[in-house]
Amino acid sequence: MTTTPTSPRRATPRTRRSAYAYASALAATALVLSACSSGGGGGGGGKEEGVGEDKTGAANYSVGTKDDSTGPAPEVPGAKKGGTVSVLQRDAFNHLDPGQIYYVDMLTAQLLYNRSLTNYKVDDKGRVKVVGDLATDAGTSSDGGKTWTYTLKDGLKFEDGSPITSQDVRWGIERLYASFETDGPLYIPQWLSGDGNDFRKALPDGPYNGQHLPASVLDTPDDKTIVFHFRRPHADTPFATAMPNIGPVKADKDTKQKYDNAPFSSGPYKVGDYKVGKSLTLIRNEHWDPGTDPIRHQYADRFEVSFGHQFADSTRRFLADQGDDKAALSFSNAVAPEMTEKVLADAGTKNRRFLEIQPYVDYIAFNTDRLKDVRVRRALAYAMPNGQILQQNGGTTAGVVATNLLSPAMDGYRPTDPFGKKAKPAGDTDKARELLKEAGKLGQEVVYAYPNTDTQQKVAVVVTQALERAGFKVQKKEVDANTYRTAIAEVKNQFDLYRCSWGADWPVSSTVVPPLFDSRQIADGSQNYSHLNDPKVDAEIDRISAVTDVKQAAPEWQKLADRILTEDVPAVPTFYNRQFSLWGSRLGGVKYHPVYGSADPTAVFVK
C-alpha cells in the first residue's frame, strides 16, 4: 500500500501458494503490511519516546475462525453514542470509490462506509486476525487452493435497505476489469484472468454491457455464495479478499468514474456531503446491522473530514485542545517534526497519542525511462542524504534510516546495506561525484519532484544540497500535494526522481517486489514508479512466485530485492516509517491499525 503523500500504495503482483494451510502459515511467518502508501513520518529527533512492541511482526497476525467473524464487535468500555468527530487531513482524497483506493488515508476512511468479503479484526492489544466481514468466515479452499468459496452473512444491506447479494459482490469485482479502474489492488482479477494488465482482456468493458465472467472463473450459484476459480493455487486469498475493492457494488448505483463522488454504503456510515478537495461528511447508515459486523461500531453521529491541514496546523490544534478540536483526530497526519518535543513534554497528551512502527519503507524512485545510465542512478543512490531526509521528517519518532528495499518486518529480511547508509547517513557525495565523473556526466541536470507540503519542502532543500555537492544540477519541481500521487503514477511523467513509500499488503515480499519492479505492471496508476523493465527481474519474479513454501520463498525475495537495488538501481530506500499521532481529549476508542499504519476510526466515540 501506499502512504499518504505518496505512500506507496497498492500492489498487483502474483503470489502462488498451494493450500489453505498456508494462509495460517502466512500470518504466522510474516507481517501483514498494507500494500499501500503511507503518509510517512512523525515527530522530532531529540528525546526518544520508545515505540512499543512491533505490531507489524509476524506473530501478531492470524487467520480467524467463523466465531471470530461473527458480529457484533466487542463493546468499547465507556463508549457512548452521539457527537461529531472532526478529522483533519493534509491531502485531499484522490478517490472514494473502493475499487480505486490504495493509499493509507483513503484505506482508513473507507473502513467507515465500505465492507469487503474479509477484513482485519484488531483487538485492544493490537493483535490482528483476518476474519469474515461480509462473509461468514475467511473462506474455504478446495482443488489444492485454486478454488475458494465464500458464503455471505444474513442481514447484510446497502444504505437504501436493499439486501447485499453475491451478484453485488460479483459486480464489484467485474467492474475492476474496466479501463478506468487503475489505482486499486488487482490481485483477485489477475489471479482469475491474467497477469499484469492482460486480465482486462477477459472482460474489457467490465459488466457494463451485460457481459460477465464465466461461472468457471467467477461463480455465484445463489444469492449467498461466491466461488473463485483461480488459475493457480493461492493460499493467501483471505488476505486478498480483505482489500477494499473485493466487496459489493449495486449495479443500478454504479456511476462508473462518478462513483468516486458517491459510493453506495455497505458500512455503518454513508456519504452525506462531499466537496471534492475540500471536505467529506459521513453520516449514520441506518440500515447497517451491527450484528453482522465483527469489526466496526457506530458510536459517533458523523465524521466531518476536512483537507488542507499541514502537520503543524493539525498538531497545533490537537495540542491546544479547544472547542471542536477536542473531538478531532487525523487518520494519517503525524505530529509535526518541529513540535515533537513540545508534545512529548506535555503530560496532558500522554493518554491521547501513540508512537508505532509502520509497515512502510520510504524511498526515492528514479525514472529509468529518463535516467537510462545506471551509473547516474547509482551516483544518486550514494549521494542521497538518508539521515537528513529522516531528520526533516521528524527524526527518531519518524523512523529509522533504511538500508535496503524491504522492511525489517518482512520474513527473510537481512540488514544488507549496499550504499553504506549506516556508515554515511548524510550520503557519500565523494563516491557519487566519482561515479558521475567516470560516466562523463558531471553537471547532469535532474528534475526532482516533491509535494508542496511543509515537510517535503524542507526535504527538497537537503536533497538538492547533497545532489549538487555530488555534481548534479537539480531542477526542483513542486507539485500540488492533492495531485502528487496521480502525477508520479503517470508513465509519461516529466520527472527524474520523486519520493514514494510502500508497505506490503500481507506477510510476504511478493506484495512488495512484483508490484514495484515487475515490468508487466507498468501502466498509468500502477506502482512500478521507476518503470523498471528488466526481463531478468521478471523471470526471477516468476520463479520465486512459483515456490509454494513461503519460508523457502522469503530469502529468495530478499536476494532479488538486493540484486534489483545494486544492479538496476531503480530507487534508493531512505527510511523505515514510524507514526506519531495525537488527537483531542474528548475522543475515546482511538487505537492504532497495524495493517494500515494509521489511526483506526472503527471504535472512536465522543466522550
Side-chain angles (χ1 to χ4, degrees):
M1 287 160 243
T2 335
T3 66
T4 320
T6 133
S7 15
R9 41 186 186 226
R10 343 96 152 94
T12 51
R14 289 133 271 139
T15 39
R16 297 161 188 138
R17 308 285 177 265
S18 62
Y20 175 74
Y22 266 103
S24 301
L26 224 52
T29 51
L31 82 180
V32 176
L33 294 179
S34 22
C36 20
S37 303
S38 86
K47 184 168 54 180
E48 166 88 38
E49 175 172 287
V51 294
E53 177 186 357
D54 185 354
K55 297 181 180 66
T56 64
N60 205 45
Y61 292 83
S62 62
V63 175
T65 64
K66 188 170 185 175
D67 286 344
D68 294 321
S69 306
T70 302
E75 288 295 324
V76 177
K80 63 179 184 179
K81 288 185 175 292
T84 296
V85 177
S86 297
V87 183
L88 309 182
Q89 290 294 124
R90 183 183 65 191
D91 304 324
F93 295 163
N94 292 44
H95 302 290
L96 297 186
D97 177 356
Q100 297 275 55
I101 287 175
Y102 215 177
Y103 278 92
V104 65
D105 48 358
M106 292 170 272
L107 283 164
T108 305
Q110 62 84 34
L111 283 171
L112 295 170
Y113 63 84
N114 177 60
R115 296 179 67 178
S116 46
L117 278 181
T118 58
N119 219 310
Y120 299 102
K121 187 175 186 177
V122 183
D123 69 14
D124 57 1
K125 293 182 173 60
R127 293 173 300 205
V128 179
K129 286 183 179 178
V130 184
V131 300
D133 186 355
L134 295 170
T136 56
D137 56 27
T140 302
S141 69
S142 57
D143 191 21
K146 291 171 67 176
T147 298
W148 282 81
T149 301
Y150 290 87
T151 302
L152 297 182
K153 295 171 181 173
D154 294 331
L156 300 171
K157 295 179 181 179
F158 284 110
E159 66 176 74
D160 64 351
S162 60
I164 294 172
T165 69
S166 58
Q167 287 77 29
D168 298 314
V169 176
R170 182 184 69 182
W171 187 277
I173 293 167
E174 290 180 337
R175 69 192 298 272
L176 302 178
Y177 287 70
S179 60
F180 65 86
E181 290 283 332
T182 59
D183 280 11
L186 297 171
Y187 295 105
I188 294 297
Q190 288 178 334
W191 293 354
L192 290 170
S193 303
D195 295 334
N197 269 310
D198 287 347
F199 77 92
R200 297 188 193 276
K201 298 174 184 176
L203 200 65
D205 297 315
Y208 298 110
N209 293 327
Q211 301 297 310
H212 296 285
L213 295 170
S216 59
V217 175
L218 180 62
D219 194 11
T220 52
D222 56 52
D223 285 351
K224 286 292 187 70
T225 308
I226 302 104
V227 185
F228 299 96
H229 297 284
F230 298 129
R231 298 175 298 133
R232 306 180 185 93
H234 290 284
D236 38 2
T237 297
F239 295 90
T241 53
M243 304 310 288
N245 56 2
I246 310 303
V249 174
K250 192 172 182 179
D252 63 6
K253 298 295 182 180
D254 185 356
T255 51
K256 299 185 179 180
Q257 290 95 324
K258 292 180 181 178
Y259 200 65
D260 252 339
N261 297 330
F264 209 57
S265 174
S266 54
Y269 295 89
K270 60 185 179 181
V271 176
D273 182 62
Y274 182 41
K275 295 181 174 63
V276 177
K278 295 181 179 179
S279 63
L280 167 68
T281 299
L282 299 174
I283 60 176
R284 287 180 183 272
N285 171 13
E286 63 272 24
H287 292 291
W288 168 79
D289 181 357
T292 68
D293 198 327
I295 296 163
R296 303 166 186 82
H297 297 276
Q298 196 188 51
Y299 292 133
D301 289 333
R302 58 206 290 129
F303 285 78
E304 293 187 346
V305 185
S306 56
F307 307 117
H309 302 281
Q310 296 290 337
F311 289 3
D313 174 33
S314 55
T315 305
R316 190 178 302 111
R317 290 173 62 168
F318 295 144
L319 261 177
D321 200 34
Q322 298 293 314
D324 291 344
D325 290 338
K326 288 185 176 183
L329 56 71
S330 178
F331 297 151
S332 54
N333 273 24
V335 169
E338 66 273 19
M339 302 177 75
T340 298
E341 296 295 343
K342 191 172 183 179
V343 172
L344 293 175
D346 187 337
T349 68
K350 189 145 184 83
N351 294 322
R352 53 187 185 96
R353 69 187 192 221
F354 62 64
L355 174 59
E356 299 281 357
I357 296 169
Q358 288 184 301
Y360 298 110
V361 181
D362 259 56
Y363 64 99
I364 302 291
F366 305 144
N367 187 339
T368 60
D369 288 338
R370 289 166 58 93
L371 298 173
K372 296 184 181 297
D373 192 329
V374 70
R375 296 170 298 181
V376 171
R377 301 198 298 269
R378 192 169 285 119
L380 286 167
Y382 273 108
M384 201 60 60
N386 288 31
Q388 291 169 298
I389 292 172
L390 175 59
Q391 194 62 34
Q392 296 305 320
N393 277 275
T396 55
T397 54
V400 178
V401 167
T403 60
N404 66 44
L405 292 168
L406 296 184
S407 162
M410 298 304 291
D411 195 32
Y413 171 81
R414 294 179 304 158
T416 53
D417 187 6
F419 295 110
K421 296 303 181 181
K422 286 290 187 184
K424 295 187 176 182
D428 190 339
T429 52
D430 290 339
K431 176 70 173 177
R433 179 176 280 274
E434 180 184 318
L435 287 168
L436 271 186
K437 190 174 182 180
E438 288 175 4
K441 298 292 179 69
L442 271 176
Q444 169 146 349
E445 184 170 313
V446 292
V447 179
Y448 171 52
Y450 58 95
N452 63 343
T453 65
D454 291 348
T455 297
Q456 292 305 319
Q457 287 170 335
K458 294 173 184 175
V459 169
V461 172
V462 297
V463 168
T464 299
Q465 290 173 343
L467 297 187
E468 288 178 345
R469 286 196 300 272
F472 289 97
K473 289 179 61 179
V474 181
Q475 179 186 339
K476 293 194 293 183
K477 181 67 174 177
E478 191 171 286
V479 181
D480 186 334
N482 291 327
T483 60
Y484 178 77
R485 292 178 281 200
T486 301
I488 64 169
E490 292 179 359
V491 175
K492 297 298 183 182
N493 75 65
Q494 299 301 302
F495 315 135
D496 294 311
L497 58 157
Y498 27 92
R499 180 256 171 176
C500 302
S501 172
W502 187 262
D505 282 305
W506 57 83
V508 292
S509 297
S510 58
T511 65
V512 178
V513 178
L516 294 182
F517 303 116
D518 187 333
S519 71
R520 293 160 291 191
Q521 308 296 345
I522 298 173
D524 285 345
S526 82
Q527 294 72 57
N528 187 338
Y529 296 110
S530 302
H531 314 145
L532 181 65
N533 189 348
D534 184 341
K536 292 184 294 183
V537 169
D538 295 349
E540 190 66 357
I541 285 172
D542 288 344
R543 183 189 72 79
I544 302 171
S545 294
V547 176
T548 57
D549 186 325
V550 291
K551 276 294 187 184
Q552 291 181 14
E556 296 300 306
W557 286 119
Q558 176 73 63
K559 290 176 188 174
L560 178 56
D562 285 345
R563 186 177 118 189
I564 291 169
L565 181 59
T566 56
E567 295 182 12
D568 291 296
V569 203
V572 59
T574 54
F575 66 96
Y576 307 122
N577 291 184
R578 291 172 176 168
Q579 178 72 12
F580 190 24
S581 286
L582 180 66
W583 56 90
S585 62
R586 287 191 61 219
L587 291 185
V590 183
K591 61 184 178 182
Y592 178 64
H593 199 298
V595 183
Y596 295 157
S598 61
D600 184 345
T602 57
V604 171
F605 64 91
V606 180
K607 297 177 183 177

